[in-house]
Amino acid sequence: VGLVVAAAATWRIWERQIPGGRPTVAIADFANETGDSELDCISGLLITSLEQGTQIRVLTRGRMFDILKQLGKDRVERIDEPLAREVGRESRANALLLASIRRLGDAYVVEMRALDPLHDEYVFTAREQAATKRDVFQLVDRLAATTRRKLGVASPGGPPVPAVQTITTANPRAWDLYS
C-alpha cells in the first residue's frame, strides 16, 4: 500500500513538472462585460506582455487555434473558457488564465483565475483595477507581473520587462484595430 501511495505521489509530482524550467501558459479570451468592443482583445495584450520575458512559454492565439482545429473545432472565432480548457489539456499547459473585465463607474476591474487544466484545480487568482480605459495597459502589466510571481518565475534581479504600451501602443482603439 505504501509503494502504491508513493508511486501515485511521485506520478502526480512528475506530471506537474515544468518542462525546461518554464511553465506553459494558455490565455482564454477575456469575458468583456463592459459593453466596449475595443476591450474585446485585451487577452492579446496579456499574451504580448507575458511573451516579453523568457520565464514563461505562452501559447500564441495562432497555436491555440491550431490545437482547436486538431480537435475538430475549426470554425472558432472566440476562445471562451470551455474551449480554452480543451486547449490547456491538449497542450498540457501548466496554467490556463481565465479573466473577465467589467466597468465600475469610470474604473475598469479585471478578475483573473489561473487554473491547472490537467487537474482542474485553481493555481491562483488575481484582481486588478484601472482608473480609466487608458490605464488598462498598466493593469495588464500588473497582471503579467502577478502571473510571473505566482508561477514562481519572477526574478527580482533579472532584466526589467518592458511595459506593454511601449512595445505596442498606448491607445486601446489602435490595439483593437491592430489585433
Side-chain angles (χ1 to χ4, degrees):
V1 172
L3 287 173
V4 170
V5 170
T10 302
W11 173 258
R12 187 151 170 104
I13 290 169
W14 176 77
E15 189 178 48
R16 293 184 79 143
Q17 289 293 318
I18 298 169
R22 296 186 321 166
T24 300
V25 175
I27 302 169
D29 287 331
F30 279 44
N32 182 0
E33 299 170 12
T34 65
D36 185 345
S37 63
E38 288 181 8
L39 296 174
D40 283 343
C41 56
I42 192 171
S43 59
L45 283 173
L46 184 57
I47 289 169
T48 301
S49 184
L50 286 171
E51 286 176 331
Q52 298 315 300
T54 58
Q55 311 95 334
I56 294 177
R57 183 179 294 121
V58 183
L59 290 180
T60 64
R61 290 193 48 79
R63 178 66 183 130
M64 291 175 73
F65 283 122
D66 287 345
I67 291 170
L68 287 169
K69 191 178 278 189
Q70 291 170 6
L71 294 172
K73 300 174 195 279
D74 52 347
R75 299 214 192 280
V76 174
E77 292 181 25
R78 182 173 152 61
I79 302 174
D80 59 6
E81 182 173 340
L83 290 174
R85 284 176 180 255
E86 289 185 50
V87 168
R89 281 190 296 273
E90 184 67 23
S91 66
R92 302 193 55 81
N94 300 93
L96 169 62
L97 303 182
L98 307 165
S100 64
I101 184 167
R102 64 180 52 98
R103 195 164 177 185
L104 290 171
D106 290 335
Y108 293 84
V109 177
V110 170
E111 293 179 353
M112 185 174 74
R113 303 169 286 141
L115 179 77
D116 177 341
L118 297 176
H119 301 98
D120 203 28
E121 299 171 349
Y122 286 108
V123 179
F124 67 88
T125 61
R127 185 176 193 273
E128 289 290 340
Q129 186 168 330
T132 66
K133 187 163 45 168
R134 290 192 83 83
D135 296 333
V136 167
F137 288 81
Q138 288 133 11
L139 176 149
V140 167
D141 287 328
R142 292 192 306 270
L143 284 173
T146 298
T147 300
R148 288 184 189 94
R149 189 176 66 255
K150 296 281 188 169
L151 292 177
V153 296
S155 54
V161 177
V164 73
Q165 67 186 9
T166 64
I167 54 176
T168 59
T169 176
N171 183 319
R173 177 76 178 135
W175 176 256
D176 179 45
L177 291 171
Y178 171 74
S179 62

